[in-house]
Amino acid sequence: QTGRSGGNASCANYAIARLRHAVVVEIMRAAILVLLVGACESPPAPPPKPVTPVDAAQVEKKILEIRPNIVINAAAYNKVEDAETNAPLAFQVNAIGPYHIARAAFALGIPVLHVSSDYVFDGQKEAPYEEGDTPNPLQIYGRSKLEGELATLKNYPKGSLIIRTNGVYGGEDGSPGKGNFVLNILKEAYDKEIIEVSCEQIVSPTYAGDLSI
């Protein structure tokens, strides 16, 4: 069973669809009651009053109301290029939001899983990154995500978990209107003779079923 917290356009959550339609589906199979913070899509039934991670009162009220087994913070402003010219919104969603969530969850003793990003690193390491590597974000988006991690850990050190992931895929259709990295590459391979893909990034596509575990 999933407690879905709604959101509005200002939460600028462009990653949640991918996570909700892949990772959360896997988590739900384990019959865990989840409060997913940051869902901007409306559920089929009339949605409750929107809950955005930057509204401390709303976050606390929703956690108290649902009493989930765990709070998953998947809210994110993840338009990397746009964040450079909209830093206040990026930090509001990616850093201040996690701060409010961690404090509210700590007060009620409910664990928090905070979804972060590989963008907290600078990409200069010539090997896969590990948890203990020193972050060094190069852009506003990465800096805001790192601040979110630090806010979560500082305010709930014993009850929070940070997951840095990228290239999430899963399900037959992926996220609505976007698919996912794997499906998009397969479609390109089917439709075109030459596939144009950025060579500036090295990623490890992550299967949603594995991430949910």
Side-chain angles (χ1 to χ4, degrees):
Q1 191 174 20
T2 304
R4 294 174 178 163
S5 60
N8 54 34
S10 66
C11 78
N13 176 17
Y14 300 99
I16 188 61
R18 181 171 68 243
L19 285 165
R20 186 165 78 175
H21 288 273
V23 177
V24 175
V25 169
E26 298 294 334
I27 293 175
M28 288 173 65
R29 292 177 179 175
I32 297 173
L33 181 59
V34 175
L35 172 59
L36 181 64
V37 178
C40 288
E41 300 170 88
S42 297
K49 183 179 179 181
V51 176
T52 59
V54 297
D55 189 322
Q58 284 189 321
V59 168
E60 183 175 358
K61 179 180 178 181
K62 182 58 66 172
I63 294 176
L64 184 62
E65 174 187 330
I66 294 179
R67 292 278 182 171
N69 297 107
I70 186 171
V71 176
I72 298 179
N73 180 22
Y77 183 98
N78 67 348
K79 279 197 155 187
V80 179
E81 294 182 2
D82 289 354
E84 294 299 314
T85 56
N86 203 357
L89 180 57
F91 276 93
Q92 185 181 39
V93 177
N94 296 341
I96 297 176
Y99 166 82
H100 291 318
I101 292 168
R103 287 177 61 86
F106 169 76
L108 296 171
I110 299 172
V112 171
L113 188 156
H114 177 72
V115 181
S116 190
S117 167
D118 59 330
Y119 273 83
V120 300
F121 298 116
D122 58 17
Q124 299 301 312
K125 183 180 179 181
E126 297 182 356
Y129 280 99
E130 299 179 353
E131 292 90 337
D133 289 331
T134 302
N136 184 34
L138 300 178
Q139 66 297 101
I140 294 296
Y141 170 69
R143 285 169 53 195
S144 67
K145 291 298 290 183
L146 178 58
E147 288 298 321
E149 292 185 8
L150 297 176
T152 300
L153 293 173
K154 181 178 180 180
N155 288 280
Y156 201 179
K158 295 183 178 181
S160 59
L161 175 67
I162 308 296
I163 292 183
R164 296 166 176 157
T165 188
N166 62 21
V168 179
Y169 69 95
E172 296 182 1
D173 301 317
S175 63
K178 296 182 180 179
N180 58 50
F181 178 80
V182 173
L183 291 177
N184 293 340
I185 290 296
L186 290 174
K187 185 178 185 303
E188 291 272 306
Y190 182 82
D191 294 339
K192 301 178 180 179
E193 293 185 4
I194 299 177
I195 303 176
E196 297 182 2
V197 182
S198 172
C199 61
E200 298 176 350
Q201 286 183 293
I202 299 176
V203 300
S204 300
T206 306
Y207 174 53
D210 292 339
L211 182 56
S212 70
I213 298 173

